Amino acid sequence: MTQKNPTVNIKEAPTGLALKIYNWKKSLKTLTPYLMLVGISLWLGTYYLFVEGWELPRFNKLPGPVEVITEWINPDPDWGISMFSPIYYEHIMISCRRIMIAFTIATCLGVPLGLFMGWSKTFRDYTFPILEVLRPIPILAWVPLAILMFSGFETPVIYLATLASLFVTTLNTLLGVESIDKEYFRAAKCLGSKPHHVFLHIVVPGSLPFIFTGLQISIGVAWFSLVAAEMVSGEFGLGYMIMDSYMNITYVTMVIGMLTLGFVGWVSSALVRLAGNRMMQWRVRALALEGR
Amino acid sequence: MQQSDIKNKNNSADISSAEKSTENSASLELRNVCRGFGDEWSREEVISDFSLSINPGELTVLVGPSGCGKTTLVNMLAGFDKPDTGQVLLNEKLITGPGMDRMVVFQETALMPWLTAYQNVVFGPKIRNDLPGRELKKKADYLFEKVGLVEFKDKYPIQLSGGMQRRAELARAMINDPLVMIMDEPFRGLDAMSRELMQEFFVRLFEENRRTNIFVTSEIDEAIFLADRLIVLSNRPTSVRKIIDIKLPRPRELNVLSSTEAYKYKRDAMELLHEEALKNFKRSTPKADS
Ligand SMILES: Nc1ncnc2c1ncn2[C@@H]1O[C@H](COP(=O)(O)OP(=O)(O)OP(=O)(O)O)[C@@H](O)[C@H]1O
Ligand SMILES: [Mg+2]
């Protein structure tokens, strides 16, 4: 007991910022961040060579990376929009706001809907065929209906993003409930659970991993349909910015819009993933044990 | 060791409600039970006309060839499944569904992965809300000590070894003071070493309070080591092939298995099981003459 083991050096577990720094330092020791950098440089390099270096046919009409980046950081942009122009942030903010509203509505409706569909066979028998018929209809096909139903620019756009996101969330939640092992239901019954206990303590936590996978897909789908909707109708937003610069033949601005969209989309799905990891500590540890 | 445990029990009267002996035992009975699966035209009888009574306070072990319907029997005893004809009775009363008087420890681990070991163990009393918080904590702490998992209370099931998971599951069942424990091959899948440790641990646990216990296994040594009564099952359609009373002295240690008596029991049981297994084998091998 009193003997110290020299090889094992037990320290207090770091918390908060110290833990973040520790994890960050640890990740610098793996290959992941370096491979990521190499990947990005390879992609940028190829893009540069194809468009600006060798000026290959088909590629030579596109704006090259040097051109795009110079414009992006130009305080006095040649084509009207760079990271110094307020309108740029207005487009981003408006799209983000729409996504937030659409994603929130879709999640608040889709998750309970999916949970009930998985939990109650009767409810599922009523609703599943409808879901399966509506789900494959491409979101662009809903545009005329959305414009007929709602006035203005804002509501139809949000409606379309919500719709697309809702189907994905519902289906994934339903699959999540179905993925739960029967043994857990049996154990819960054996321990004296009433149906509402089963719902709260088995159905909900058991389907969380699928729900969060679904939410990551659903926020992507929301961006996808939002931009499509903004291209068709709208006067602001990243989709509008891309379409508008295409119409005005300002291709550099268009590419800036596309890259911004990619970046914002990536951040939003990372946020969803983060929220998921917070809510599923048990899963984080399971994955850590598997070395992922 | 045994002595000190008993003393301990008397000292903490409120805790030992989990450990009350004989009076919380119950008898179970299967009367002419039949159960089959499939549609009318492709029906397969798994269990036909099965009768067996299980005495209170005894550890009854069911052994049988793989796939003979042991889990099917367990499901009916637990109330997850109903017999097609016949009756399953607990203390002379018909079993109509799962209940907390019968706790089941499953073949595969059924600890909820999203709850810590502690949360899993207190799951039953918590949702039924039938124990005041302080008492529940005391009882849970006592059980954690008993199964030797005190340091692992706040770990998630995935962070526990197979043997620890089984012990946590035992604690989760015992906290409810069931009349009967039903265990379906609980140690299957453990490595030989932890399996032996678990058997020794479990036999001590049983000997302490002698709760009616049904234990399913396909491992003959395990069966003889644990059993008061050994039920050898026949092949499908399953019925009782033979009942062997195991009169090895208790408390038992693993070395009883090397005694001549144990060897005799083993030889008897093996012979029967071998016959049954052979039947199964003959049925499933393709005919050589065609
Ligand atoms: N729900 C079911 N539907 C159809 N057939 C079933 C069902 N449950 C069990 N069976 C059949 O009943 C037979 C016995 O199954 P059971 O799981 O009870 O066997 P077992 O003795 O527990 O086997 P093992 O040793 O593999 O655990 C199997 O052949 C299986 O195909
Ligand atoms: Mg089985």
Side-chain angles (χ1 to χ4, degrees), chain A residues 180 183-184 186-194 197 201-203 205-206 281-282 285-286 289-290, chain B residues 75 80 98-100 102-104 106 108 110-114 123-124 127-128 156 158-159 172 176:
Chain A
I180 304 172
E183 309 280 300
Y184 303 138
R186 289 189 161 178
K189 284 224 188 79
C190 201
L191 292 164
S193 302
K194 302 256 162 18
H197 292 133
H201 297 289
I202 309 294
V203 172
Q281 282 302 308
W282 61 275
R285 280 173 218 198
L289 272 188
E290 284 165 26
Chain B
N75 283 343
F80 298 136
M100 34 175 285
R102 284 151 290 137
M103 281 294 143
V104 186
F106 297 90
E108 273 87 40
L111 292 170
M112 281 73 157
W114 47 87
F123 185 86
I127 55 159
R128 296 192 308 264
Y156 288 95
I158 191 93
Q159 296 170 295
R172 180 172 75 174
N176 303 289

Short mmCIF file of all heavy atoms in Angstrom, two decimals, chain A residues 180 183-184 186-194 197 201-203 205-206 281-282 285-286 289-290, chain B residues 75 80 98-100 102-104 106 108 110-114 123-124 127-128 156 158-159 172 176:
data_model
loop_
_atom_site.label_atom_id
_atom_site.label_comp_id
_atom_site.label_asym_id
_atom_site.label_seq_id
_atom_site.Cartn_x
_atom_site.Cartn_y
_atom_site.Cartn_z
N ILE A 180 -33.67 -0.55 -30.64
CA ILE A 180 -33.45 -0.86 -29.23
C ILE A 180 -33.65 -2.36 -28.99
O ILE A 180 -34.63 -2.94 -29.43
CB ILE A 180 -34.42 -0.06 -28.33
CG1 ILE A 180 -34.26 1.43 -28.61
CG2 ILE A 180 -34.16 -0.34 -26.87
CD1 ILE A 180 -35.30 2.27 -27.91
N GLU A 183 -34.40 -6.96 -25.05
CA GLU A 183 -34.08 -7.32 -23.66
C GLU A 183 -34.33 -6.15 -22.71
O GLU A 183 -34.74 -6.35 -21.58
CB GLU A 183 -32.61 -7.73 -23.52
CG GLU A 183 -32.17 -8.77 -24.51
CD GLU A 183 -32.59 -10.16 -24.11
OE1 GLU A 183 -32.18 -10.60 -23.03
OE2 GLU A 183 -33.34 -10.81 -24.88
N TYR A 184 -34.07 -4.92 -23.19
CA TYR A 184 -34.24 -3.77 -22.31
C TYR A 184 -35.71 -3.57 -21.96
O TYR A 184 -36.05 -3.24 -20.84
CB TYR A 184 -33.68 -2.51 -22.96
CG TYR A 184 -32.22 -2.62 -23.33
CD1 TYR A 184 -31.75 -2.13 -24.53
CD2 TYR A 184 -31.33 -3.25 -22.47
CE1 TYR A 184 -30.42 -2.24 -24.88
CE2 TYR A 184 -30.00 -3.36 -22.81
CZ TYR A 184 -29.55 -2.86 -24.02
OH TYR A 184 -28.25 -2.98 -24.36
N ARG A 186 -37.90 -5.94 -21.86
CA ARG A 186 -38.26 -7.03 -20.95
C ARG A 186 -37.77 -6.74 -19.54
O ARG A 186 -38.51 -6.91 -18.57
CB ARG A 186 -37.63 -8.33 -21.42
CG ARG A 186 -38.30 -8.82 -22.66
CD ARG A 186 -37.83 -10.20 -23.00
NE ARG A 186 -38.79 -10.81 -23.89
CZ ARG A 186 -38.65 -12.01 -24.40
NH1 ARG A 186 -37.60 -12.72 -24.09
NH2 ARG A 186 -39.56 -12.50 -25.18
N ALA A 187 -36.53 -6.30 -19.45
CA ALA A 187 -35.97 -5.99 -18.13
C ALA A 187 -36.81 -4.91 -17.46
O ALA A 187 -37.14 -5.03 -16.28
CB ALA A 187 -34.53 -5.53 -18.27
N ALA A 188 -37.19 -3.90 -18.21
CA ALA A 188 -37.97 -2.80 -17.63
C ALA A 188 -39.32 -3.31 -17.13
O ALA A 188 -39.77 -2.95 -16.06
CB ALA A 188 -38.16 -1.69 -18.65
N LYS A 189 -39.96 -4.16 -17.93
CA LYS A 189 -41.26 -4.71 -17.52
C LYS A 189 -41.12 -5.53 -16.27
O LYS A 189 -41.93 -5.47 -15.35
CB LYS A 189 -41.82 -5.58 -18.64
CG LYS A 189 -42.38 -4.79 -19.78
CD LYS A 189 -43.71 -5.36 -20.23
CE LYS A 189 -44.17 -4.69 -21.50
NZ LYS A 189 -43.46 -5.23 -22.69
N CYS A 190 -40.07 -6.34 -16.27
CA CYS A 190 -39.80 -7.22 -15.14
C CYS A 190 -39.63 -6.41 -13.86
O CYS A 190 -40.04 -6.81 -12.78
CB CYS A 190 -38.52 -7.97 -15.46
SG CYS A 190 -38.29 -9.46 -14.56
N LEU A 191 -39.03 -5.24 -13.99
CA LEU A 191 -38.77 -4.40 -12.83
C LEU A 191 -39.97 -3.53 -12.45
O LEU A 191 -39.87 -2.66 -11.60
CB LEU A 191 -37.55 -3.50 -13.09
CG LEU A 191 -36.24 -4.26 -13.19
CD1 LEU A 191 -35.15 -3.41 -13.82
CD2 LEU A 191 -35.78 -4.73 -11.83
N GLY A 192 -41.09 -3.77 -13.12
CA GLY A 192 -42.33 -3.11 -12.71
C GLY A 192 -42.64 -1.82 -13.43
O GLY A 192 -43.33 -0.97 -12.88
N SER A 193 -42.14 -1.64 -14.65
CA SER A 193 -42.40 -0.39 -15.38
C SER A 193 -43.81 -0.35 -15.92
O SER A 193 -44.31 -1.33 -16.45
CB SER A 193 -41.44 -0.24 -16.56
OG SER A 193 -40.14 -0.26 -16.13
N LYS A 194 -44.42 0.82 -15.84
CA LYS A 194 -45.68 1.08 -16.55
C LYS A 194 -45.29 1.57 -17.95
O LYS A 194 -44.14 1.98 -18.16
CB LYS A 194 -46.46 2.18 -15.82
CG LYS A 194 -46.79 1.85 -14.39
CD LYS A 194 -48.25 1.46 -14.27
CE LYS A 194 -48.60 0.72 -13.02
NZ LYS A 194 -47.68 0.80 -11.91
N HIS A 197 -43.26 4.66 -18.14
CA HIS A 197 -41.86 4.48 -17.71
C HIS A 197 -41.03 3.92 -18.86
O HIS A 197 -39.90 4.36 -19.09
CB HIS A 197 -41.78 3.50 -16.54
CG HIS A 197 -42.39 4.01 -15.29
ND1 HIS A 197 -43.25 3.26 -14.52
CD2 HIS A 197 -42.26 5.20 -14.67
CE1 HIS A 197 -43.63 3.98 -13.48
NE2 HIS A 197 -43.04 5.16 -13.54
N HIS A 201 -37.85 5.89 -20.03
CA HIS A 201 -36.56 5.37 -19.59
C HIS A 201 -35.91 4.40 -20.58
O HIS A 201 -34.73 4.11 -20.46
CB HIS A 201 -36.71 4.68 -18.23
CG HIS A 201 -37.15 5.61 -17.16
ND1 HIS A 201 -36.31 6.58 -16.64
CD2 HIS A 201 -38.33 5.77 -16.53
CE1 HIS A 201 -36.97 7.27 -15.73
NE2 HIS A 201 -38.19 6.80 -15.64
N ILE A 202 -36.68 3.89 -21.52
CA ILE A 202 -36.09 2.98 -22.50
C ILE A 202 -36.17 3.58 -23.91
O ILE A 202 -35.15 3.72 -24.58
CB ILE A 202 -36.81 1.61 -22.51
CG1 ILE A 202 -36.91 1.04 -21.11
CG2 ILE A 202 -36.11 0.64 -23.45
CD1 ILE A 202 -35.61 0.68 -20.46
N VAL A 203 -37.38 3.93 -24.33
CA VAL A 203 -37.56 4.38 -25.72
C VAL A 203 -36.74 5.65 -26.00
O VAL A 203 -35.99 5.71 -26.97
CB VAL A 203 -39.06 4.62 -26.02
CG1 VAL A 203 -39.23 5.26 -27.38
CG2 VAL A 203 -39.82 3.32 -25.95
N PRO A 205 -34.07 7.29 -24.22
CA PRO A 205 -32.60 7.22 -24.22
C PRO A 205 -32.05 6.21 -25.21
O PRO A 205 -30.99 6.42 -25.78
CB PRO A 205 -32.26 6.82 -22.78
CG PRO A 205 -33.49 6.25 -22.21
CD PRO A 205 -34.64 6.88 -22.93
N GLY A 206 -32.80 5.13 -25.43
CA GLY A 206 -32.32 4.09 -26.35
C GLY A 206 -32.25 4.56 -27.78
O GLY A 206 -31.43 4.08 -28.56
N GLN A 281 -23.28 10.75 -22.66
CA GLN A 281 -21.97 10.44 -22.07
C GLN A 281 -21.63 8.96 -22.20
O GLN A 281 -20.50 8.58 -22.49
CB GLN A 281 -21.97 10.84 -20.60
CG GLN A 281 -21.80 12.32 -20.38
CD GLN A 281 -20.53 12.84 -20.99
OE1 GLN A 281 -19.44 12.32 -20.75
NE2 GLN A 281 -20.64 13.87 -21.82
N TRP A 282 -22.63 8.12 -21.98
CA TRP A 282 -22.39 6.67 -22.03
C TRP A 282 -21.88 6.25 -23.39
O TRP A 282 -21.04 5.37 -23.52
CB TRP A 282 -23.66 5.90 -21.68
CG TRP A 282 -24.81 6.15 -22.61
CD1 TRP A 282 -25.70 7.18 -22.53
CD2 TRP A 282 -25.18 5.38 -23.74
NE1 TRP A 282 -26.61 7.10 -23.55
CE2 TRP A 282 -26.32 6.00 -24.30
CE3 TRP A 282 -24.69 4.22 -24.34
CZ2 TRP A 282 -26.95 5.50 -25.43
CZ3 TRP A 282 -25.33 3.73 -25.44
CH2 TRP A 282 -26.45 4.37 -25.98
N ARG A 285 -18.25 7.31 -24.05
CA ARG A 285 -17.30 6.37 -23.45
C ARG A 285 -17.22 5.06 -24.20
O ARG A 285 -16.17 4.47 -24.34
CB ARG A 285 -17.71 6.11 -22.01
CG ARG A 285 -17.23 7.28 -21.18
CD ARG A 285 -17.69 7.24 -19.80
NE ARG A 285 -17.98 8.61 -19.42
CZ ARG A 285 -18.10 9.03 -18.19
NH1 ARG A 285 -17.96 8.19 -17.20
NH2 ARG A 285 -18.35 10.27 -17.94
N ALA A 286 -18.36 4.62 -24.72
CA ALA A 286 -18.37 3.37 -25.49
C ALA A 286 -17.48 3.52 -26.72
O ALA A 286 -16.66 2.66 -27.02
CB ALA A 286 -19.79 3.02 -25.91
N LEU A 289 -13.84 3.58 -25.84
CA LEU A 289 -13.31 2.25 -25.56
C LEU A 289 -12.95 1.52 -26.84
O LEU A 289 -12.01 0.74 -26.89
CB LEU A 289 -14.34 1.42 -24.79
CG LEU A 289 -14.34 1.52 -23.28
CD1 LEU A 289 -15.27 0.50 -22.69
CD2 LEU A 289 -12.93 1.30 -22.74
N GLU A 290 -13.75 1.79 -27.89
CA GLU A 290 -13.44 1.14 -29.16
C GLU A 290 -12.31 1.85 -29.88
O GLU A 290 -11.93 1.46 -30.98
CB GLU A 290 -14.68 1.15 -30.06
CG GLU A 290 -15.72 0.14 -29.65
CD GLU A 290 -17.07 0.42 -30.31
OE1 GLU A 290 -17.09 1.05 -31.38
OE2 GLU A 290 -18.08 0.03 -29.72
N ASN B 75 -39.11 -17.94 -20.56
CA ASN B 75 -40.00 -16.85 -20.94
C ASN B 75 -41.40 -17.04 -20.38
O ASN B 75 -42.07 -16.08 -20.00
CB ASN B 75 -40.07 -16.73 -22.46
CG ASN B 75 -38.85 -16.05 -23.02
OD1 ASN B 75 -38.10 -15.41 -22.29
ND2 ASN B 75 -38.62 -16.20 -24.31
N PHE B 80 -43.21 -13.45 -19.92
CA PHE B 80 -43.05 -12.75 -21.20
C PHE B 80 -43.84 -13.45 -22.29
O PHE B 80 -44.13 -12.89 -23.32
CB PHE B 80 -41.58 -12.71 -21.62
CG PHE B 80 -40.70 -11.97 -20.66
CD1 PHE B 80 -39.48 -12.48 -20.29
CD2 PHE B 80 -41.11 -10.76 -20.13
CE1 PHE B 80 -38.67 -11.81 -19.41
CE2 PHE B 80 -40.30 -10.08 -19.25
CZ PHE B 80 -39.07 -10.61 -18.89
N PRO B 98 -45.28 -10.52 -16.76
CA PRO B 98 -44.07 -10.31 -15.97
C PRO B 98 -44.40 -9.57 -14.66
O PRO B 98 -45.36 -8.81 -14.60
CB PRO B 98 -43.19 -9.44 -16.87
CG PRO B 98 -44.07 -8.90 -17.91
CD PRO B 98 -45.23 -9.82 -18.04
N GLY B 99 -43.63 -9.84 -13.65
CA GLY B 99 -43.90 -9.18 -12.38
C GLY B 99 -42.63 -9.15 -11.56
O GLY B 99 -41.69 -9.90 -11.80
N MET B 100 -42.64 -8.27 -10.57
CA MET B 100 -41.40 -8.09 -9.81
C MET B 100 -41.22 -9.15 -8.74
O MET B 100 -40.24 -9.12 -8.01
CB MET B 100 -41.36 -6.70 -9.20
CG MET B 100 -42.72 -6.22 -8.81
SD MET B 100 -42.68 -4.68 -7.98
CE MET B 100 -42.08 -5.19 -6.41
N ARG B 102 -40.85 -12.15 -9.71
CA ARG B 102 -39.92 -13.04 -10.41
C ARG B 102 -38.90 -12.19 -11.16
O ARG B 102 -39.28 -11.46 -12.07
CB ARG B 102 -40.65 -13.91 -11.43
CG ARG B 102 -41.43 -15.04 -10.87
CD ARG B 102 -42.60 -15.36 -11.76
NE ARG B 102 -43.62 -14.31 -11.70
CZ ARG B 102 -44.24 -13.82 -12.75
NH1 ARG B 102 -43.97 -14.26 -13.96
NH2 ARG B 102 -45.14 -12.86 -12.62
N MET B 103 -37.66 -12.27 -10.77
CA MET B 103 -36.64 -11.49 -11.45
C MET B 103 -35.88 -12.39 -12.41
O MET B 103 -35.50 -13.51 -12.05
CB MET B 103 -35.66 -10.91 -10.44
CG MET B 103 -36.20 -9.70 -9.74
SD MET B 103 -36.39 -8.34 -10.90
CE MET B 103 -37.89 -7.64 -10.25
N VAL B 104 -35.64 -11.87 -13.59
CA VAL B 104 -34.96 -12.67 -14.60
C VAL B 104 -33.58 -12.09 -14.87
O VAL B 104 -33.43 -10.87 -15.03
CB VAL B 104 -35.77 -12.66 -15.92
CG1 VAL B 104 -35.14 -13.60 -16.92
CG2 VAL B 104 -37.21 -13.05 -15.65
N PHE B 106 -30.89 -12.37 -17.71
CA PHE B 106 -30.99 -12.85 -19.08
C PHE B 106 -29.71 -13.48 -19.58
O PHE B 106 -28.64 -13.30 -19.01
CB PHE B 106 -31.36 -11.70 -20.01
CG PHE B 106 -32.69 -11.09 -19.71
CD1 PHE B 106 -32.80 -10.04 -18.81
CD2 PHE B 106 -33.83 -11.58 -20.30
CE1 PHE B 106 -34.03 -9.49 -18.53
CE2 PHE B 106 -35.06 -11.02 -20.02
CZ PHE B 106 -35.17 -9.97 -19.13
N GLU B 108 -28.31 -12.72 -22.50
CA GLU B 108 -27.44 -11.61 -22.88
C GLU B 108 -27.59 -10.51 -21.83
O GLU B 108 -28.63 -10.39 -21.22
CB GLU B 108 -27.83 -11.05 -24.25
CG GLU B 108 -27.17 -11.75 -25.40
CD GLU B 108 -27.96 -12.97 -25.84
OE1 GLU B 108 -29.20 -12.86 -25.87
OE2 GLU B 108 -27.36 -14.01 -26.11
N ALA B 110 -28.51 -7.33 -20.02
CA ALA B 110 -29.63 -6.42 -20.26
C ALA B 110 -29.55 -5.21 -19.35
O ALA B 110 -30.55 -4.61 -19.01
CB ALA B 110 -30.96 -7.14 -20.08
N LEU B 111 -28.34 -4.85 -18.95
CA LEU B 111 -28.16 -3.59 -18.23
C LEU B 111 -28.38 -2.47 -19.25
O LEU B 111 -27.90 -2.56 -20.37
CB LEU B 111 -26.74 -3.48 -17.67
CG LEU B 111 -26.36 -4.43 -16.54
CD1 LEU B 111 -24.86 -4.34 -16.29
CD2 LEU B 111 -27.12 -4.11 -15.28
N MET B 112 -29.12 -1.43 -18.85
CA MET B 112 -29.33 -0.33 -19.78
C MET B 112 -28.00 0.40 -19.98
O MET B 112 -27.44 0.93 -19.02
CB MET B 112 -30.36 0.67 -19.24
CG MET B 112 -31.79 0.24 -19.41
SD MET B 112 -32.21 -1.04 -18.31
CE MET B 112 -33.94 -0.99 -18.13
N PRO B 113 -27.51 0.46 -21.21
CA PRO B 113 -26.18 1.05 -21.43
C PRO B 113 -26.14 2.54 -21.13
O PRO B 113 -25.07 3.09 -20.94
CB PRO B 113 -25.90 0.78 -22.90
CG PRO B 113 -27.19 0.42 -23.51
CD PRO B 113 -28.08 -0.09 -22.44
N TRP B 114 -27.30 3.20 -21.11
CA TRP B 114 -27.30 4.64 -20.88
C TRP B 114 -27.39 5.00 -19.40
O TRP B 114 -27.44 6.17 -19.05
CB TRP B 114 -28.45 5.31 -21.64
CG TRP B 114 -29.76 4.62 -21.47
CD1 TRP B 114 -30.66 4.82 -20.47
CD2 TRP B 114 -30.31 3.62 -22.31
NE1 TRP B 114 -31.74 4.00 -20.63
CE2 TRP B 114 -31.56 3.26 -21.76
CE3 TRP B 114 -29.88 2.98 -23.48
CZ2 TRP B 114 -32.37 2.29 -22.33
CZ3 TRP B 114 -30.70 2.02 -24.04
CH2 TRP B 114 -31.93 1.69 -23.47
N PHE B 123 -32.94 1.06 -10.55
CA PHE B 123 -33.98 1.33 -11.54
C PHE B 123 -35.37 0.90 -11.08
O PHE B 123 -36.32 1.69 -11.11
CB PHE B 123 -33.64 0.65 -12.87
CG PHE B 123 -34.58 0.96 -13.99
CD1 PHE B 123 -34.38 2.07 -14.77
CD2 PHE B 123 -35.67 0.13 -14.26
CE1 PHE B 123 -35.25 2.36 -15.81
CE2 PHE B 123 -36.55 0.43 -15.29
CZ PHE B 123 -36.33 1.55 -16.07
N GLY B 124 -35.49 -0.35 -10.63
CA GLY B 124 -36.80 -0.89 -10.24
C GLY B 124 -37.46 -0.09 -9.13
O GLY B 124 -38.53 0.50 -9.33
N ILE B 127 -38.46 3.66 -10.17
CA ILE B 127 -39.66 3.95 -10.98
C ILE B 127 -40.93 3.54 -10.25
O ILE B 127 -41.96 4.17 -10.42
CB ILE B 127 -39.62 3.28 -12.37
CG1 ILE B 127 -39.42 1.78 -12.25
CG2 ILE B 127 -38.60 3.88 -13.27
CD1 ILE B 127 -39.88 1.07 -13.46
N ARG B 128 -40.84 2.50 -9.41
CA ARG B 128 -42.04 2.11 -8.67
C ARG B 128 -42.25 3.03 -7.48
O ARG B 128 -43.32 3.09 -6.91
CB ARG B 128 -41.91 0.67 -8.18
CG ARG B 128 -41.82 -0.34 -9.29
CD ARG B 128 -41.99 -1.72 -8.72
NE ARG B 128 -41.08 -1.97 -7.60
CZ ARG B 128 -39.90 -2.57 -7.71
NH1 ARG B 128 -39.49 -2.98 -8.87
NH2 ARG B 128 -39.16 -2.76 -6.66
N TYR B 156 -20.34 3.16 -16.52
CA TYR B 156 -21.38 2.68 -17.42
C TYR B 156 -21.11 1.20 -17.72
O TYR B 156 -19.96 0.76 -17.67
CB TYR B 156 -21.37 3.49 -18.71
CG TYR B 156 -21.91 4.88 -18.51
CD1 TYR B 156 -21.07 5.95 -18.26
CD2 TYR B 156 -23.28 5.11 -18.52
CE1 TYR B 156 -21.56 7.23 -18.05
CE2 TYR B 156 -23.79 6.37 -18.31
CZ TYR B 156 -22.93 7.43 -18.08
OH TYR B 156 -23.42 8.67 -17.87
N ILE B 158 -20.70 -0.54 -20.26
CA ILE B 158 -19.67 -0.81 -21.26
C ILE B 158 -18.27 -0.79 -20.65
O ILE B 158 -17.34 -1.40 -21.16
CB ILE B 158 -19.80 0.21 -22.41
CG1 ILE B 158 -18.95 -0.17 -23.62
CG2 ILE B 158 -19.41 1.60 -21.98
CD1 ILE B 158 -19.66 -0.95 -24.62
N GLN B 159 -18.13 -0.07 -19.52
CA GLN B 159 -16.82 0.04 -18.88
C GLN B 159 -16.54 -1.10 -17.92
O GLN B 159 -15.48 -1.15 -17.31
CB GLN B 159 -16.73 1.37 -18.13
CG GLN B 159 -16.82 2.58 -19.05
CD GLN B 159 -16.98 3.87 -18.28
OE1 GLN B 159 -17.98 4.08 -17.61
NE2 GLN B 159 -15.98 4.72 -18.36
N ARG B 172 -29.18 -5.81 -9.38
CA ARG B 172 -30.39 -5.15 -9.86
C ARG B 172 -31.63 -6.01 -9.62
O ARG B 172 -32.71 -5.50 -9.33
CB ARG B 172 -30.28 -4.84 -11.36
CG ARG B 172 -31.50 -4.16 -11.91
CD ARG B 172 -31.33 -3.69 -13.32
NE ARG B 172 -31.38 -4.78 -14.28
CZ ARG B 172 -31.37 -4.60 -15.59
NH1 ARG B 172 -31.30 -3.39 -16.09
NH2 ARG B 172 -31.41 -5.62 -16.40
N ASN B 176 -34.94 -5.93 -5.50
CA ASN B 176 -36.40 -5.97 -5.49
C ASN B 176 -36.98 -7.04 -4.58
O ASN B 176 -38.20 -7.24 -4.57
CB ASN B 176 -36.92 -6.22 -6.90
CG ASN B 176 -36.43 -5.16 -7.86
OD1 ASN B 176 -36.86 -4.03 -7.80
ND2 ASN B 176 -35.47 -5.52 -8.71
#
